[in-house]
Amino acid sequence: MTNITLDEARAQLMALQRKMAAYEHAMGLIYYDGCTTAPKETADNRAVSMSILSEEIYRQSTSDETAELLEFLDANRDGLSLDEKRMVYLLLRDIRNMKKIPMDEYIAYQELLVKAEDVWERAKNASDFNMFCPYLEDLFAYQKKFAKYIDPDMDPYDHCLNEYEEGLNMETCDRFFERLRAGIVPLLKRISEAEQVDDSIRHGSFPAADQEELSYYLMKMIGLDLGHVGLSTTEHPFTTSLGSHHDERITTHYYENDFAYSMYSVVHEGGHALYDTGSADELAYTVLDGGVSMSIHESQSRFYENIIGRSRAFCRLVFPELVRVFPEQMEGHYAEELYRAVNKAQPSLIRTEADELTYSLHIMVRYELEKRIMHDELEVKDLPEEWNRMYKEYLGIDVPDDKQGVLQDSHWASGLFGYFPSYALGNAYGAQFLAKMRETVDIDACIESGDFGPVNDWNREHIWQHGGRFKPSELLDRVYGAEFDPGYYINYLEEKYTELYGL
Amino acid sequence: MTNITLDEARAQLMALQRKMAAYEHAMGLIYYDGCTTAPKETADNRAVSMSILSEEIYRQSTSDETAELLEFLDANRDGLSLDEKRMVYLLLRDIRNMKKIPMDEYIAYQELLVKAEDVWERAKNASDFNMFCPYLEDLFAYQKKFAKYIDPDMDPYDHCLNEYEEGLNMETCDRFFERLRAGIVPLLKRISEAEQVDDSIRHGSFPAADQEELSYYLMKMIGLDLGHVGLSTTEHPFTTSLGSHHDERITTHYYENDFAYSMYSVVHEGGHALYDTGSADELAYTVLDGGVSMSIHESQSRFYENIIGRSRAFCRLVFPELVRVFPEQMEGHYAEELYRAVNKAQPSLIRTEADELTYSLHIMVRYELEKRIMHDELEVKDLPEEWNRMYKEYLGIDVPDDKQGVLQDSHWASGLFGYFPSYALGNAYGAQFLAKMRETVDIDACIESGDFGPVNDWNREHIWQHGGRFKPSELLDRVYGAEFDPGYYINYLEEKYTELYGL
């Protein structure tokens, strides 16, 4: 980096990130197209382009030229803005970590991932863990090795947690899950002994075209800008930014026998989209664009889905639209029934279908299992047995087969160890945001009147605009003006379910 | 290229083309997404990614490394297969041409294109040629300069024609258009004096959802593999391959007052898709994948749209499906009415809406005007006056404004000079294919019975499988076993319209 001024290097920093954003736009769109529009038998064709483009992005983002630029900027960090410092820090961290992994092992791991995802899908369909077991063993083995390469002094599972939530460790998670379990388990027991909720309002016949109308109503209502946020249908709902937060896509899935599934998918993904599109414009095409971490992202999606979307005020707001879209199906029903139906709590087998109360128990099972494997306290081959034992212990239910048990999630097949806790943390972060927001915003009144402005403005000011500027713990400290405290979440659940079930 | 074996270089040739295909997959998909699915206000975001990716593809495909590889292969061409020789020839030709243009002029021209397309759109909406005139002057000026850089000894308009149809020149076009005009103009005069066709069957109320059902019926009927060919809706219908011919997309546009517009768009784009997807599998991810040129491509799309799709046999085949999809609208109508309605001939203002007979006259106007400008025999500022004069002379109609006149097509704003003749040539190539195919296939019997197998097999064997292996004139010679002869097309039109109008 001789003969380059700091200003030139700063311009190159922005150009580098724009280029990476363009590649990610391309890769993200090829994936999105595969889930939404592409003809059925074109996956192999997509795989060819994806592997070439991902190699290109890897090659360019880890090139000597890129490393030199970032090291130069890092050495001259006093001349950088706060945002630029953060960009350089994040980019350099990734490159340095990447370079600690021997190239041949990295390539072998990438190849393993492609095979593992394929085998997992077939193993799941066959409900046969043994098929998948050797691949999962290899995946865990690589993750342990990589953790040692990158952070030889850090506990390998702490390293995993850190990958998805900068600064997170087992100590925080253990304390968090312990308090959560102590709060949820007795509450669930009391609910199981109470009169059960009638959720017949959500079941019936709800044509997809009508549900789509409801989707657009919900998107507009929660404040999404439809000029920049699109809706499509996919097997599993998700949200993605393409290029920058100026082009955001959410997806849903319509089950014609239950309108509530898509309704809450749209509000959940809509929460992700509000967060992404709320990034300050100057962050577009940089690594700081969009949300900072998985759990802060989930704090927003679950805030809109659960805290707002499953509130009594929201059910009252939306009910007239449900009557308009489904006049016959809603005949004789009323808003309070909707509120009760979408908050029915009961232990179930599948994480993604779990209610707000039992959801975190599903996460705890996965967290404990991952931790024990990463610490060599459990062998991969014993996972199904342990999974089933823990579901009995934590949720009180029997797992009939691997498909509905240990093979249900795709995360492990994709090498995502340490990812699950962020879902549960997101729930808890959101409850503390709620308490803070209530200090200045009359949330229920806003929601019931359909005025999302004050709620969204609060989130935008405190959370969305900052994108990845602050690390998650810093952001939380700034917003809360205090430490993160899972007590808020436990109180929130306690109050809500005590009232709902008349405990 | 020291220390590289020929086999290594051959492998690199394939890798280079796969990489270019991946970039084109990305760029093509971003464009397609913009036309089909993307939220309305995301064009600027797409433009950022597109300009970065196109710079990347330009940089990589014209790099010294790429040039060295291709020169090495060219020097050792005796060791290459026929297909490899053709790949090297095409890639090298493009790089050599590119390198003859000074980089600053190339960049200035690319910037001009972006502006010109934007100004053209606004000028068209305002029906004001003067707004667009200075941009079009610059575009023509650059094209003249570039033609001189690349082929100093070639006529600049011959160079333009060659860009879209390898080997085409004015001599061929002049002879072709002269014969065509001599055949069409008197025929059109006789038609204008005959009893006019009643086309009321195509007008009415046809819901888009029902038309979509008809689209899929047509796609399956003509033999498209829906596992690899998708359908979407856009403002203007088009066809695109993504990555390779294994993923093909066609689009249509539904006008609810006229089902025939989309019906023939689907069959037309379906013809392009049949051609692309019919490429031999070993051509996938190479520059030989898909069709060889614009006019051979149009020969296939127009073969399916007009020669087959507007035949009596096809109208008889499709009519029962129309009755099934539109039972009320088709009541009291019969197949012969459909045949007559979709073949109604009359001079009109807009090229894309022209019938089979008058279409080529629209092309001739553009051809003559382009030729005169490239030869400095006409000034750009005088284009509207000349356009209107020629429409009166060729088609006998008055042009009311620039929007419906000289500004109607986007081609010139995109710098596509020399492109139009390929549409007319495609029509004529198709008629000669028809004559040849008839020697071994009972086409009408196949079509009327809904058995496209023999027709498609013939096209696959003679045309589709070869992709870009042969240059267009070579391909025609191989198929025809004779020279291209526009007489086939004139006879085809003569016979069809004489019978239809009872002349």
Coordinates of all heavy atoms in Angstrom, one line a residue, chain B residues 382-446:
Chain B
D382 N -33.4 14.8 -39.0 CA -34.4 14.6 -40.0 C -35.2 13.3 -40.0 O -36.0 13.0 -40.8 CB -33.8 14.8 -41.4 CG -33.2 16.2 -41.6 OD1 -33.8 17.2 -41.0 OD2 -32.2 16.4 -42.3
L383 N -34.8 12.5 -39.0 CA -35.4 11.2 -38.9 C -36.9 11.2 -38.8 O -37.6 10.4 -39.6 CB -34.9 10.4 -37.7 CG -33.8 9.4 -37.9 CD1 -33.3 8.8 -36.6 CD2 -34.3 8.3 -38.9
P384 N -37.6 12.0 -38.0 CA -39.0 11.9 -37.9 C -39.7 12.1 -39.2 O -40.6 11.4 -39.6 CB -39.4 13.0 -36.8 CG -38.1 13.2 -36.1 CD -37.0 12.9 -37.0
E385 N -39.2 13.1 -39.9 CA -39.9 13.5 -41.2 C -39.8 12.3 -42.2 O -40.7 12.0 -42.8 CB -39.2 14.7 -41.7 CG -40.0 15.5 -42.8 CD -39.1 16.6 -43.4 OE1 -38.4 17.3 -42.6 OE2 -39.2 16.8 -44.6
E386 N -38.6 11.8 -42.2 CA -38.3 10.6 -43.1 C -39.1 9.4 -42.7 O -39.7 8.7 -43.6 CB -36.8 10.3 -43.2 CG -36.1 11.0 -44.3 CD -36.7 10.8 -45.7 OE1 -36.6 9.7 -46.3 OE2 -37.4 11.8 -46.1
W387 N -39.2 9.2 -41.4 CA -39.9 8.0 -40.9 C -41.4 8.1 -41.4 O -42.0 7.2 -41.9 CB -39.9 8.1 -39.4 CG -40.7 7.0 -38.7 CD1 -42.0 6.9 -38.5 CD2 -40.2 5.8 -38.0 NE1 -42.4 5.8 -37.8 CE2 -41.3 5.1 -37.5 CE3 -38.9 5.3 -37.9 CZ2 -41.1 3.9 -36.8 CZ3 -38.7 4.1 -37.1 CH2 -39.9 3.4 -36.7
N388 N -42.0 9.3 -41.1 CA -43.4 9.5 -41.5 C -43.6 9.4 -43.0 O -44.6 8.8 -43.4 CB -43.9 10.9 -41.0 CG -43.7 11.0 -39.4 OD1 -43.4 10.0 -38.8 ND2 -44.0 12.1 -38.9
R389 N -42.7 9.9 -43.8 CA -42.8 9.8 -45.2 C -42.8 8.4 -45.7 O -43.6 7.9 -46.5 CB -41.7 10.6 -45.9 CG -41.9 10.9 -47.4 CD -40.6 11.4 -48.1 NE -39.4 10.5 -48.0 CZ -39.3 9.4 -48.6 NH1 -40.3 9.0 -49.4 NH2 -38.2 8.6 -48.5
M390 N -41.9 7.6 -45.1 CA -41.7 6.2 -45.5 C -42.9 5.4 -45.1 O -43.3 4.4 -45.8 CB -40.4 5.6 -45.0 CG -39.2 6.2 -45.7 SD -37.7 5.4 -45.2 CE -37.8 3.9 -46.1
Y391 N -43.5 5.7 -43.9 CA -44.7 4.9 -43.4 C -45.8 5.1 -44.4 O -46.6 4.2 -44.7 CB -45.1 5.2 -42.0 CG -44.6 4.2 -41.0 CD1 -43.2 4.1 -40.7 CD2 -45.4 3.2 -40.5 CE1 -42.7 3.1 -39.9 CE2 -45.0 2.2 -39.6 CZ -43.6 2.2 -39.3 OH -43.1 1.2 -38.5
K392 N -45.9 6.4 -44.9 CA -46.9 6.7 -45.9 C -46.7 5.9 -47.2 O -47.6 5.2 -47.7 CB -46.9 8.2 -46.2 CG -48.1 8.7 -47.0 CD -49.4 8.6 -46.3 CE -50.6 9.1 -47.2 NZ -51.9 8.9 -46.5
E393 N -45.4 5.9 -47.6 CA -45.0 5.2 -48.8 C -45.2 3.7 -48.7 O -45.7 3.0 -49.6 CB -43.6 5.6 -49.2 CG -43.2 5.0 -50.6 CD -41.7 5.2 -50.8 OE1 -41.1 6.2 -50.3 OE2 -41.1 4.3 -51.6
Y394 N -44.6 3.1 -47.6 CA -44.6 1.6 -47.5 C -45.9 1.0 -47.0 O -46.3 0.0 -47.5 CB -43.4 1.2 -46.6 CG -42.1 1.2 -47.1 CD1 -41.6 2.3 -47.8 CD2 -41.2 0.1 -47.0 CE1 -40.3 2.4 -48.4 CE2 -39.9 0.2 -47.5 CZ -39.5 1.3 -48.2 OH -38.2 1.3 -48.7
L395 N -46.5 1.7 -46.1 CA -47.7 1.1 -45.4 C -49.0 1.9 -45.7 O -50.1 1.4 -45.4 CB -47.5 1.0 -43.9 CG -46.5 -0.1 -43.5 CD1 -45.5 0.4 -42.6 CD2 -47.3 -1.3 -42.9
G396 N -48.8 3.1 -46.3 CA -50.0 3.8 -46.7 C -50.7 4.5 -45.6 O -51.9 4.8 -45.7
I397 N -50.0 4.7 -44.4 CA -50.7 5.3 -43.3 C -49.9 6.6 -42.8 O -48.7 6.7 -43.0 CB -50.9 4.3 -42.1 CG1 -49.5 3.8 -41.7 CG2 -51.8 3.2 -42.5 CD1 -49.7 2.9 -40.4
D398 N -50.7 7.4 -42.1 CA -50.2 8.7 -41.6 C -49.8 8.4 -40.1 O -50.5 7.9 -39.3 CB -51.2 9.8 -41.6 CG -51.6 10.1 -43.1 OD1 -50.6 10.4 -43.8 OD2 -52.8 10.1 -43.5
V399 N -48.6 8.9 -39.8 CA -48.1 8.8 -38.4 C -48.5 10.0 -37.6 O -48.1 11.1 -38.0 CB -46.6 8.6 -38.4 CG1 -46.0 8.6 -37.0 CG2 -46.2 7.3 -39.2
P400 N -49.3 9.9 -36.6 CA -49.8 11.1 -35.9 C -48.8 11.7 -35.0 O -48.9 13.0 -34.8 CB -51.0 10.5 -35.1 CG -50.7 9.1 -34.9 CD -49.9 8.6 -36.0
D401 N -47.9 11.0 -34.4 CA -46.9 11.6 -33.5 C -45.7 10.7 -33.4 O -45.6 9.6 -33.8 CB -47.5 11.9 -32.1 CG -48.2 10.6 -31.6 OD1 -47.6 9.5 -31.7 OD2 -49.3 10.7 -31.0
D402 N -44.6 11.3 -32.8 CA -43.3 10.6 -32.6 C -43.5 9.3 -31.8 O -42.8 8.3 -32.0 CB -42.3 11.5 -32.0 CG -41.9 12.6 -33.0 OD1 -42.2 12.5 -34.2 OD2 -41.3 13.6 -32.5
K403 N -44.3 9.4 -30.8 CA -44.5 8.3 -29.9 C -44.9 7.0 -30.6 O -44.4 5.9 -30.4 CB -45.6 8.6 -28.8 CG -45.8 7.5 -27.8 CD -46.7 8.0 -26.7 CE -46.9 6.9 -25.7 NZ -47.6 7.3 -24.5
Q404 N -45.9 7.2 -31.6 CA -46.3 6.1 -32.4 C -45.5 6.0 -33.7 O -45.8 5.1 -34.5 CB -47.8 6.3 -32.7 CG -48.7 6.2 -31.5 CD -50.2 6.5 -31.9 OE1 -50.9 5.6 -32.3 NE2 -50.6 7.8 -31.7
G405 N -44.5 6.8 -33.8 CA -43.6 6.8 -34.9 C -42.2 6.4 -34.6 O -41.9 5.4 -34.0
V406 N -41.3 7.4 -34.8 CA -39.9 7.1 -34.7 C -39.4 6.8 -33.3 O -38.3 6.2 -33.2 CB -39.1 8.4 -35.3 CG1 -39.3 9.6 -34.3 CG2 -37.7 8.1 -35.5
L407 N -40.2 7.1 -32.3 CA -39.8 6.8 -30.9 C -40.3 5.5 -30.4 O -40.1 5.1 -29.2 CB -40.2 7.9 -30.0 CG -39.4 9.3 -30.1 CD1 -40.1 10.3 -29.2 CD2 -37.9 9.1 -29.8
Q408 N -41.0 4.7 -31.2 CA -41.7 3.5 -30.7 C -40.8 2.4 -30.2 O -41.2 1.7 -29.2 CB -42.7 3.0 -31.7 CG -42.1 2.4 -32.9 CD -43.2 1.8 -33.9 OE1 -43.5 0.6 -33.9 NE2 -43.8 2.7 -34.7
D409 N -39.7 2.2 -30.8 CA -38.8 1.1 -30.4 C -37.7 1.5 -29.5 O -37.2 2.6 -29.7 CB -38.2 0.4 -31.7 CG -39.2 -0.1 -32.6 OD1 -40.0 -0.9 -32.2 OD2 -39.1 0.2 -33.9
S410 N -37.3 0.6 -28.6 CA -36.2 0.9 -27.7 C -34.8 0.7 -28.3 O -33.8 1.0 -27.8 CB -36.3 0.1 -26.4 OG -36.2 -1.3 -26.7
H411 N -34.8 0.0 -29.5 CA -33.5 -0.5 -30.0 C -32.4 0.5 -30.2 O -31.3 0.4 -29.8 CB -33.7 -1.2 -31.4 CG -34.6 -2.4 -31.3 ND1 -35.9 -2.3 -30.8 CD2 -34.4 -3.7 -31.6 CE1 -36.5 -3.5 -30.9 NE2 -35.6 -4.4 -31.3
W412 N -32.8 1.6 -30.8 CA -31.8 2.7 -31.1 C -31.3 3.3 -29.8 O -30.1 3.6 -29.7 CB -32.4 3.8 -32.0 CG -32.6 3.3 -33.4 CD1 -32.1 2.1 -34.0 CD2 -33.4 3.9 -34.5 NE1 -32.5 2.0 -35.3 CE2 -33.3 3.1 -35.6 CE3 -34.2 5.0 -34.5 CZ2 -34.0 3.4 -36.8 CZ3 -34.8 5.3 -35.7 CH2 -34.7 4.5 -36.8
A413 N -32.1 3.4 -28.8 CA -31.7 4.0 -27.5 C -30.7 3.1 -26.9 O -29.9 3.5 -26.1 CB -32.9 4.2 -26.6
S414 N -30.7 1.8 -27.2 CA -29.8 0.8 -26.7 C -28.6 0.6 -27.6 O -27.8 -0.3 -27.4 CB -30.5 -0.5 -26.5 OG -31.6 -0.4 -25.7
G415 N -28.5 1.4 -28.6 CA -27.4 1.3 -29.6 C -27.4 0.1 -30.5 O -26.4 -0.3 -31.1
L416 N -28.6 -0.5 -30.7 CA -28.7 -1.7 -31.5 C -29.0 -1.3 -33.0 O -30.2 -1.3 -33.4 CB -29.8 -2.6 -31.0 CG -29.7 -3.0 -29.5 CD1 -30.9 -3.9 -29.1 CD2 -28.4 -3.8 -29.3
F417 N -28.0 -0.8 -33.7 CA -28.1 -0.5 -35.1 C -27.7 -1.8 -35.9 O -26.7 -2.3 -35.7 CB -27.3 0.7 -35.5 CG -27.5 1.9 -34.6 CD1 -26.4 2.4 -33.9 CD2 -28.8 2.4 -34.4 CE1 -26.6 3.5 -33.1 CE2 -29.0 3.5 -33.6 CZ -27.9 4.1 -32.9
G418 N -28.6 -2.1 -36.8 CA -28.3 -3.3 -37.6 C -29.0 -4.6 -37.1 O -28.8 -5.7 -37.6
Y419 N -29.8 -4.4 -36.1 CA -30.5 -5.5 -35.4 C -31.8 -5.8 -36.1 O -32.2 -7.0 -36.2 CB -30.7 -5.0 -34.0 CG -31.3 -6.0 -33.0 CD1 -30.5 -6.6 -32.0 CD2 -32.6 -6.4 -33.1 CE1 -31.0 -7.5 -31.1 CE2 -33.1 -7.3 -32.1 CZ -32.3 -7.8 -31.1 OH -32.8 -8.7 -30.2
F420 N -32.5 -4.8 -36.6 CA -33.9 -5.0 -37.1 C -34.0 -6.1 -38.2 O -34.9 -6.9 -38.2 CB -34.5 -3.7 -37.5 CG -35.0 -2.9 -36.4 CD1 -34.5 -1.6 -36.1 CD2 -36.1 -3.3 -35.5 CE1 -34.9 -0.8 -35.0 CE2 -36.5 -2.5 -34.5 CZ -35.9 -1.3 -34.2
P421 N -33.1 -6.0 -39.2 CA -33.2 -7.0 -40.3 C -33.4 -8.4 -39.9 O -34.0 -9.2 -40.5 CB -32.0 -6.8 -41.1 CG -31.6 -5.3 -40.9 CD -31.9 -5.1 -39.4
S422 N -32.8 -8.8 -38.7 CA -32.8 -10.2 -38.3 C -34.3 -10.7 -38.0 O -34.6 -11.8 -38.2 CB -31.9 -10.5 -37.1 OG -32.0 -9.4 -36.2
Y423 N -35.1 -9.7 -37.6 CA -36.5 -10.1 -37.5 C -37.1 -10.6 -38.8 O -37.8 -11.7 -38.9 CB -37.4 -9.0 -37.0 CG -37.1 -8.5 -35.5 CD1 -36.6 -7.2 -35.3 CD2 -37.4 -9.4 -34.5 CE1 -36.4 -6.8 -34.0 CE2 -37.1 -8.9 -33.1 CZ -36.7 -7.7 -32.9 OH -36.5 -7.2 -31.6
A424 N -36.9 -9.8 -39.8 CA -37.5 -10.1 -41.1 C -36.9 -11.4 -41.7 O -37.5 -12.2 -42.3 CB -37.4 -8.9 -42.1
L425 N -35.5 -11.4 -41.6 CA -34.8 -12.6 -42.1 C -35.3 -13.9 -41.4 O -35.5 -14.9 -42.0 CB -33.3 -12.5 -41.8 CG -32.6 -11.6 -42.9 CD1 -31.2 -11.2 -42.3 CD2 -32.5 -12.3 -44.2
G426 N -35.5 -13.8 -40.1 CA -36.0 -14.9 -39.3 C -37.3 -15.5 -39.9 O -37.5 -16.7 -40.1
N427 N -38.2 -14.6 -40.3 CA -39.5 -15.0 -40.9 C -39.2 -15.8 -42.2 O -39.8 -16.9 -42.4 CB -40.3 -13.8 -41.4 CG -40.9 -13.0 -40.2 OD1 -41.2 -13.7 -39.1 ND2 -41.2 -11.8 -40.3
A428 N -38.3 -15.3 -43.0 CA -38.0 -15.9 -44.3 C -37.3 -17.2 -44.1 O -37.6 -18.2 -44.8 CB -37.3 -15.0 -45.2
Y429 N -36.3 -17.3 -43.2 CA -35.6 -18.6 -42.9 C -36.6 -19.6 -42.6 O -36.5 -20.8 -43.0 CB -34.6 -18.4 -41.8 CG -33.4 -17.5 -42.0 CD1 -32.7 -17.1 -40.9 CD2 -33.0 -17.2 -43.3 CE1 -31.6 -16.3 -41.1 CE2 -31.9 -16.3 -43.5 CZ -31.2 -15.9 -42.4 OH -30.1 -15.1 -42.6
G430 N -37.6 -19.2 -41.7 CA -38.6 -20.2 -41.2 C -39.4 -20.8 -42.4 O -39.7 -22.0 -42.4
A431 N -39.8 -20.0 -43.4 CA -40.6 -20.5 -44.5 C -39.8 -21.5 -45.3 O -40.4 -22.5 -45.8 CB -41.0 -19.3 -45.4
Q432 N -38.5 -21.3 -45.4 CA -37.7 -22.3 -46.1 C -37.5 -23.6 -45.3 O -37.4 -24.7 -45.8 CB -36.3 -21.7 -46.6 CG -35.6 -22.5 -47.6 CD -34.5 -21.7 -48.3 OE1 -34.4 -20.5 -48.2 NE2 -33.6 -22.4 -49.0
F433 N -37.4 -23.4 -44.0 CA -37.3 -24.6 -43.1 C -38.6 -25.4 -43.3 O -38.6 -26.7 -43.4 CB -37.2 -24.2 -41.6 CG -35.9 -23.7 -41.2 CD1 -35.8 -22.6 -40.3 CD2 -34.7 -24.2 -41.7 CE1 -34.6 -22.1 -39.9 CE2 -33.5 -23.7 -41.3 CZ -33.4 -22.7 -40.4
L434 N -39.7 -24.7 -43.4 CA -41.0 -25.4 -43.5 C -41.0 -26.2 -44.8 O -41.4 -27.4 -44.7 CB -42.1 -24.3 -43.6 CG -43.5 -24.8 -43.9 CD1 -44.2 -25.5 -42.7 CD2 -44.4 -23.6 -44.4
A435 N -40.6 -25.7 -45.9 CA -40.6 -26.4 -47.1 C -39.7 -27.7 -47.0 O -40.1 -28.7 -47.5 CB -40.0 -25.5 -48.3
K436 N -38.5 -27.5 -46.4 CA -37.6 -28.6 -46.2 C -38.2 -29.7 -45.3 O -38.2 -30.9 -45.5 CB -36.3 -28.1 -45.6 CG -35.2 -29.1 -45.7 CD -34.7 -29.2 -47.1 CE -33.7 -30.4 -47.2 NZ -33.4 -30.7 -48.6
M437 N -38.9 -29.2 -44.2 CA -39.4 -30.1 -43.2 C -40.6 -31.0 -43.9 O -40.7 -32.1 -43.6 CB -40.0 -29.4 -42.0 CG -40.3 -30.2 -40.8 SD -41.2 -29.3 -39.5 CE -39.9 -28.2 -38.9
R438 N -41.3 -30.3 -44.7 CA -42.5 -31.0 -45.4 C -42.0 -32.2 -46.2 O -42.8 -33.1 -46.4 CB -43.2 -30.0 -46.3 CG -44.2 -29.1 -45.7 CD -45.3 -28.7 -46.7 NE -45.9 -27.4 -46.3 CZ -46.8 -27.3 -45.3 NH1 -47.1 -28.4 -44.5 NH2 -47.3 -26.1 -45.0
E439 N -40.8 -32.2 -46.6 CA -40.3 -33.3 -47.4 C -40.4 -34.6 -46.6 O -40.5 -35.7 -47.2 CB -38.8 -33.1 -47.9 CG -38.7 -32.0 -48.9 CD -37.2 -31.7 -49.2 OE1 -36.3 -32.4 -48.8 OE2 -37.0 -30.7 -49.9
T440 N -40.3 -34.5 -45.3 CA -40.3 -35.8 -44.5 C -41.4 -35.8 -43.4 O -41.6 -36.9 -42.8 CB -38.9 -36.0 -43.8 OG1 -38.6 -34.8 -43.1 CG2 -37.8 -36.3 -44.9
V441 N -42.0 -34.7 -43.1 CA -42.9 -34.6 -42.0 C -44.3 -34.1 -42.5 O -44.4 -33.1 -43.2 CB -42.4 -33.7 -40.9 CG1 -43.4 -33.7 -39.7 CG2 -41.1 -34.1 -40.4
D442 N -45.4 -34.8 -42.2 CA -46.7 -34.3 -42.5 C -47.1 -33.4 -41.4 O -47.8 -33.7 -40.4 CB -47.7 -35.5 -42.6 CG -49.1 -35.0 -43.0 OD1 -49.3 -33.8 -43.1 OD2 -49.9 -35.9 -43.3
I443 N -46.7 -32.1 -41.6 CA -46.8 -31.2 -40.5 C -48.2 -30.9 -40.0 O -48.5 -31.0 -38.8 CB -46.1 -29.8 -40.9 CG1 -44.6 -30.1 -41.3 CG2 -46.1 -28.8 -39.7 CD1 -43.9 -28.9 -41.9
D444 N -49.1 -30.6 -41.0 CA -50.5 -30.3 -40.6 C -51.1 -31.4 -39.8 O -51.8 -31.2 -38.9 CB -51.3 -30.0 -41.9 CG -50.9 -28.6 -42.4 OD1 -50.5 -27.7 -41.7 OD2 -51.0 -28.4 -43.7
A445 N -50.9 -32.7 -40.3 CA -51.5 -33.8 -39.6 C -51.0 -33.9 -38.2 O -51.7 -34.1 -37.2 CB -51.2 -35.1 -40.3
C446 N -49.6 -33.7 -38.0 CA -49.0 -33.7 -36.7 C -49.7 -32.6 -35.8 O -50.1 -32.9 -34.6 CB -47.5 -33.4 -36.7 SG -46.6 -34.8 -37.4

